[in-house]
Amino acid sequence: MTRRIYPFYFIAIALFFYIVFAVVPSLMGIYLSFTDWNSYSRAIHYVGLDNYRTIFSSDENFMHGIRNTVVFTIATIVLKTIVGLLIAVLVNKGIKLKNVHRVVIFLPSVVPMLVVGIIFKSIFNPETGLVNGVLRAVGLNQWTQHWLTDINWAFKSIIAVDVWKGAGYIMVILLAGIQSISHSYYEAADIDGAGPWLKFKYITLPLLMPALTVTTVLNLLYGLKIFDTVYVLTNGGPGYATEVVYTQVFNQFTLGSYGIGTALITVLFVIMTILGYFAIKLMSREEQNG
């Protein structure tokens, strides 16, 4: 009996703080999402599902923010995984100064988003920005755009910036996964006459599934909670084109509508739980099949 209780001592303090600062506030937030909590009255009244009806109403823009968040998450998961995997495979090869390449590629991941936003606002400037300047220089004037103010390009530009910033982080995790694969598999494949593509398809990719599961879950959690990138680059504009859930939460709390804000967070929590469950289940199944 003593041996069973003893390990509990090691986690008791951490578990206490986790319950007090994570579990209890989360449960309080879920309860407050069913109330009219706001900054205009001290009284808090239970309103049932009214906040959720407002969120899912066709007269509001909340569904647009939810859709943008899901699209952003899926797009960045796919793009960052593809780009990160491609870079990891290339950097893993015997290229000169590969450690320098790793540092340079990883560097954007540690740059504060405020700095990245300022830089890319300058790069995407329609008149003096680098992107349009290069396009004009090579004679592609018709391709120049108002990247952050055009309703058709603003959200795509945000996705591109996020992929640029986060691909290096994914690369590091996948590179560690690739380097953990035993060379004996590749030596056996060489004996059988397998080419680079067959090695990647039947050795690298299946054995990399644990690392891919980690990067997918990390990208999923990050993508659904995206705020800083959107806020710094477009603040949800033009119009509501780049609104995501957390910019809407920020706006609702700024307006004093705390009940709707907590309801939005609760909806996002449910989406995150469902997508996370199916993502882990799918990736685990692929790992077992591999």
Side-chain angles (χ1 to χ4, degrees):
M1 185 66 179
T2 304
R3 293 182 63 184
R4 293 180 180 178
I5 296 176
Y6 182 69
F8 178 74
Y9 297 151
F10 290 98
I11 66 169
I13 297 177
L15 184 62
F16 170 77
F17 283 109
Y18 176 74
I19 292 173
V20 171
F21 294 108
V23 176
V24 172
S26 298
L27 294 175
M28 290 179 62
I30 293 173
Y31 166 73
L32 291 170
S33 70
F34 294 97
T35 69
D36 63 350
W37 182 33
N38 60 76
S39 63
Y40 309 109
S41 173
R42 292 186 177 180
I44 299 177
H45 305 98
Y46 179 79
V47 295
L49 296 174
D50 286 356
N51 291 332
Y52 294 94
R53 292 192 187 97
T54 301
I55 290 172
F56 292 103
S57 171
S58 59
D59 298 330
E60 302 290 343
N61 288 297
F62 295 118
M63 285 301 298
H64 183 71
I66 293 173
R67 282 194 299 270
N68 276 351
T69 303
V70 173
V71 170
F72 176 89
T73 302
I74 295 173
T76 52
I77 286 176
V78 173
L79 292 174
K80 280 194 279 190
T81 301
I82 292 174
V83 174
L85 180 57
L86 178 62
I87 297 173
V89 171
L90 292 175
V91 172
N92 189 55
K93 300 295 183 181
I95 59 177
K96 295 181 179 180
L97 301 175
K98 59 182 179 181
N99 289 330
V100 175
H101 286 90
R102 294 175 189 177
V103 172
V104 172
I105 295 168
F106 179 73
L107 191 60
S109 302
V110 298
V111 177
M113 192 57 228
L114 179 61
V115 177
V116 173
I118 293 173
I119 292 172
F120 273 93
K121 275 190 173 182
S122 175
I123 291 174
F124 285 138
N125 187 290
E127 301 299 329
T128 60
L130 177 63
V131 175
N132 282 353
V134 171
L135 291 174
R136 292 190 188 100
V138 297
L140 297 175
N141 295 56
Q142 68 276 17
W143 286 19
T144 59
Q145 304 290 338
H146 289 69
W147 301 101
L148 296 177
T149 56
D150 188 324
I151 194 172
N152 296 314
W153 286 99
F155 198 60
K156 298 172 185 176
S157 300
I158 290 174
I159 291 174
V161 172
D162 187 76
V163 171
W164 174 85
K165 188 177 189 300
Y169 181 75
I170 303 304
M171 178 270 295
V172 170
I173 297 175
L174 296 181
L175 182 61
I178 291 173
Q179 292 181 339
S180 69
I181 299 174
S182 174
H183 287 285
S184 60
Y185 294 110
Y186 297 104
E187 292 171 358
D190 286 332
I191 295 173
D192 292 336
W197 168 246
L198 291 178
K199 291 179 186 178
F200 176 79
K201 182 178 179 180
Y202 292 106
I203 299 176
T204 305
L205 199 57
L207 295 178
L208 201 58
M209 288 308 297
L212 287 170
T213 302
V214 171
T215 58
T216 300
V217 173
L218 290 175
N219 279 329
L220 177 68
L221 297 176
Y222 171 79
L224 291 175
K225 296 189 296 182
I226 189 64
F227 171 75
D228 52 357
T229 307
V230 177
Y231 185 77
V232 171
L233 290 174
T234 64
N235 195 21
Y240 300 99
T242 60
E243 284 276 16
V244 291
V245 171
Y246 268 97
T247 58
Q248 293 179 328
V249 171
F250 177 80
N251 292 335
Q252 291 302 313
F253 272 80
T254 301
L255 296 172
S257 301
Y258 305 140
I260 293 180
T262 52
L264 277 167
I265 295 174
T266 303
V267 170
L268 186 63
F269 171 75
V270 173
I271 294 173
M272 188 181 300
T273 302
I274 294 172
L275 291 181
Y277 170 78
F278 283 108
I280 294 173
K281 188 174 181 179
L282 177 63
M283 300 295 287
S284 299
R285 182 183 303 170
E286 292 293 331
E287 180 180 341
Q288 293 172 0
N289 292 339

